[in-house]
Amino acid sequence: KLIDLEWRIQSKKFSELFAQISEDTIKGIGISWSNPFHPYAKYIDVIANDSSLELMNHLLTATATHDKIILSCWDYELEKIQLLKQFEFKLFRKTYMETYEISSLLKQLEQEQSTQTLIPLLEILNEPTLEQTLFKLLKYNYEQTHLDNPAKDVPWQTWKGILLDDTPDFNLSFVSVEENNILAYIFLHPISPDHYEIGWVGMNNPTNLLPILKQQLIQLQRQGVKTVEFEIDTTNHMAWQFAALLQLEKK
């Protein structure tokens, strides 16, 4: 488990670090850090056996400017979940991360038809008005799906930089446009030659995202891409539109 935190410790990307030491051996670690993009939360983690309660008590004090404390864990970390229950943490979001075969998804999407005009991200970036509209919408949608952990208020140009730094596929990230209004967007990100990630998903008004996804999957399959991965939060009502397709209710 320490492997997940080693980079943070080595690069000193933390605010606090507590170690429980017995007979010259570290028995447990409690660590906290901040996220400048989500400035109101203090993030913590605990790696320990017998000293979990003591380390947690240290981490829960002196929150300074933060008004909430967040700890993330996997569903199989049962001991950590029990620890959180002792301290009356509230579960505010679940995240589903899973990989799917493109061929299997396309079979389920056979009946989806689209009359939407889909424009690649590359073209949107060459249209100043559409570009500004897109990234203002992306900013708004992100803020609305992170009400429990508000993001820092930054200009839309910053959101553009964040997306472009995440290396999207400029040709296969589609934006749905109607009469110069942006209806929806789905960004794709290459992970390897045969595997992609479905990135940020959003819409302006209620829009069927499945036809957009279908066209993207068809293009990926033509390029020889075999699988795609989704990361969907329960706080994101837009991406949750994929729940039935991905059978998330059973997971």
Side-chain angles (χ1 to χ4, degrees), residues 109-237:
L109 292 169
E110 284 181 352
Q111 303 304 315
E112 292 292 338
Q113 301 295 326
S114 175
T115 58
Q116 301 178 42
T117 300
L118 303 179
I119 301 179
L121 176 61
L122 184 63
E123 293 184 25
I124 296 291
L125 295 176
N126 291 320
E127 296 285 345
T129 301
L130 283 177
E131 176 190 65
Q132 180 173 341
T133 302
L134 171 65
F135 289 106
K136 283 187 173 181
L137 178 61
L138 188 149
K139 165 184 164 68
Y140 175 79
N141 285 337
Y142 187 92
E143 291 170 347
Q144 293 305 303
T145 56
H146 289 76
L147 297 177
D148 288 295
N149 187 18
K152 183 178 180 180
D153 187 21
V154 296
W156 68 265
Q157 294 90 340
T158 301
W159 284 97
K160 174 185 174 182
I162 292 171
L163 173 66
L164 299 186
D165 287 344
D166 206 18
T167 59
D169 186 312
F170 289 94
N171 294 308
L172 295 183
S173 295
F174 287 165
V175 180
S176 175
V177 178
E178 183 180 88
E179 297 179 354
N180 241 24
N181 292 317
I182 291 178
L183 301 181
Y185 54 84
I186 301 178
F187 298 131
L188 301 186
H189 304 267
I191 305 299
S192 69
D194 59 1
H195 180 65
Y196 264 62
E197 177 186 0
I198 308 297
W200 288 349
V201 172
M203 64 184 77
N204 191 359
N205 295 309
T207 303
N208 186 2
L209 297 172
L210 295 180
I212 304 174
L213 177 66
K214 178 182 178 181
Q215 292 304 312
Q216 291 175 308
L217 295 177
I218 290 172
Q219 295 297 324
L220 288 174
Q221 191 176 59
R222 288 174 180 170
Q223 292 186 15
V225 179
K226 300 289 193 301
T227 56
V228 288
E229 65 182 79
F230 292 77
E231 180 176 329
I232 296 182
D233 300 325
T234 50
T235 54
N236 187 343
H237 60 279

Side-chain angles (χ1 to χ4, degrees), residues 29-64:
I29 286 177
I31 189 170
S32 72
W33 63 94
S34 297
N35 181 338
F37 197 62
H38 290 275
Y40 308 107
K42 173 181 177 180
Y43 297 82
I44 69 172
D45 202 356
V46 172
I47 304 172
N49 292 321
D50 299 333
S51 54
S52 296
L53 291 174
E54 186 175 355
L55 289 167
M56 185 69 87
N57 280 319
H58 280 294
L59 292 170
L60 295 180
T61 60
T63 58

